[in-house]
Amino acid sequence: MPDVHLSAIGYALGEPRELSELQAVLPDDLSVLAEDIVHYRASDAEIWELAAAAAEQSLAGCPEPPDALVYVSQNEPDSATALARLANRLGLTTCPSIALSGHDCGNFGPALGVVRDMVVAGTRRRVLLVLADRAREPRQRLMASGLSLFSDGAAACLVTADAPGTDGATFVLEAAASRTEVRLEEPEVAGTGMLTTVRLAAETIAELLADTGRSRDDFRHVVFANYRTASQKFLCTAMGFGYERILPGAVADQAHCFAADILITLAQRHADGSLSPGDRLLASATGPHAWNTLALSVPIRQAGR
C-alpha cells in the first residue's frame, strides 16, 4: 500500500467534570472506572461545533487548503445540516465533503481507510479528516461494555500523499488491516464476544506483519482508544505484545472521546517527547463488529524536530 501522511493534528475537548458528578445522576456503580478515570469531558456545544474547533487548529497548520472534507460522527442528529455548517464555519463552502458513521468509537479506522483510498487514487491531494462526538445525556456516557466513560471531544488531521513539510507531528500510514464479523442473529454466549475480539485482533496483526514484512519487535508502541488500563492490557496481550508497548492516552483526565482518542493521543505523546523519529506504532480502532489496526511511523526527518 502506498504511504500516506497524517499531519496538522488538532483537537478540542469539553470541560473537565469530576467523576463523582456523574455518579450522582447514574444508578450504576462507577467504582471500577474510578480506578482509572478522574475527569470526563462535557460540552454544551453542538457536535459540529466541536468538530469545527478541532478543524480550525488543523487548518492553521496547513500550507494549502484541503480539497476534500470528511466529517465523522456517530451521534450527530442531522449529518447533512451539520456537514454544511461545518464547511461554512471553516470557509470550505466549495470543497467536496462527505459525512461518515457506522462503527461507533471504531469509526477512525474505516474513515481513514476511505480517506487513504481517495488520496492514493489521486482523486484528492489533501483531505481534512474530522472526528467529533458528544453524549446527549448522562446515561449515554457509560459504555455498555464497561470499558470506559464517554467524553465530548473532537480531533482532526490532514491526510496527504506527500510529506506536508510543516512543523508539528507527522505520521506515515504504512499499512492497514481490517476484520469485520457481524453476528446479530446468533444467541449471545458468555465470553463469545471477547473470544471474537481476540481472534480479529490476531488476524489483523498477522495481515499487517505479512504486508509490511516486519516483526512485532519492529513496533515500539501500541495505541488504543482510552479504555480502562486493564482492558488495554488485555487487548495488547491479544495482539501478542507486552504491556510495556502501550502508548498511554490521557485516560484519567479525558476518559474516552469516541473515535477521536487515537489522534489526540498521537498529538499529545508527540508533544511531550514520548515519540522519536523512526518510531513505529500499531494503532487499533475497535467497533462493535470490527477491528482495525494501522501501522504508523514517525518520519526520520520532519520539520520542527
Side-chain angles (χ1 to χ4, degrees), residues 8-167:
I9 300 175
Y11 61 91
L13 301 169
E15 295 299 317
R17 302 281 179 83
E18 298 284 343
L19 186 63
S20 57
E21 294 181 22
L22 193 60
Q23 180 66 86
V25 296
L26 285 180
D28 306 86
D29 181 7
L30 301 181
S31 58
V32 173
L33 291 175
E35 296 174 6
D36 295 284
I37 299 171
V38 177
H39 299 112
Y40 68 98
R41 299 302 185 109
S43 175
D44 292 329
E46 295 296 325
I47 297 175
W48 71 267
E49 292 176 317
L50 287 169
E56 286 169 345
Q57 292 181 30
S58 290
L59 292 176
C62 295
E64 298 178 76
D67 53 18
L69 167 64
V70 176
Y71 175 46
V72 184
S73 177
Q74 193 62 42
N75 295 328
E76 182 64 71
D78 184 352
S79 294
T81 299
L83 184 60
R85 288 175 174 170
L86 176 61
N88 184 67
R89 171 73 66 85
L90 299 177
L92 301 175
T93 54
T94 61
C95 181
S97 57
I98 187 172
L100 301 174
S101 65
H103 291 274
D104 287 340
C105 50
N107 277 328
F108 178 57
L112 184 57
V114 170
V115 173
R116 175 201 64 204
D117 291 346
M118 294 166 64
V119 172
V120 169
T123 58
R124 298 290 175 231
R125 294 177 51 238
R126 302 174 306 281
V127 181
L128 181 64
L129 173 62
V130 191
L131 308 106
D133 262 302
R134 56 165 289 199
R136 286 292 176 180
E137 47 98 4
R139 185 68 187 179
Q140 292 182 342
R141 294 204 179 275
L142 183 62
M143 292 184 69
S145 62
L147 287 176
S148 194
L149 199 69
F150 285 122
S151 280
D152 304 338
C157 70
L158 190 70
V159 183
T160 59
D162 300 320
T166 57
D167 293 342

Side-chain angles (χ1 to χ4, degrees), residues 190-216:
T192 300
M194 197 59 72
L195 290 174
T196 300
T197 293
V198 170
R199 177 168 51 78
L200 297 182
E203 289 176 358
T204 61
I205 293 299
E207 180 180 334
L208 278 184
L209 297 182
D211 287 349
T212 60
R214 305 193 189 285
S215 70
R216 283 178 171 80

Side-chain angles (χ1 to χ4, degrees), residues 172-238:
V172 179
L173 175 61
E174 298 181 346
S178 177
R179 289 291 186 278
T180 299
E181 188 164 321
V182 179
R183 294 187 168 188
L184 295 182
E185 303 305 321
E186 295 187 10
E188 184 175 347
V189 178
T192 300
M194 197 59 72
L195 290 174
T196 300
T197 293
V198 170
R199 177 168 51 78
L200 297 182
E203 289 176 358
T204 61
I205 293 299
E207 180 180 334
L208 278 184
L209 297 182
D211 287 349
T212 60
R214 305 193 189 285
S215 70
R216 283 178 171 80
D217 292 339
D218 292 322
F219 293 92
R220 182 182 177 192
H221 299 293
V222 181
V223 189
F224 298 104
N226 286 355
Y227 302 137
R228 294 177 52 224
T229 300
S231 300
Q232 291 194 45
K233 288 182 175 180
F234 173 85
L235 295 174
C236 200
T237 301

Side-chain angles (χ1 to χ4, degrees), residues 11 169 171 265-275 305:
Y11 61 91
F171 298 89
T265 295
L266 292 176
Q268 291 176 336
R269 297 293 79 82
H270 182 277
D272 69 14
S274 298
L275 297 173
R305 294 302 301 261

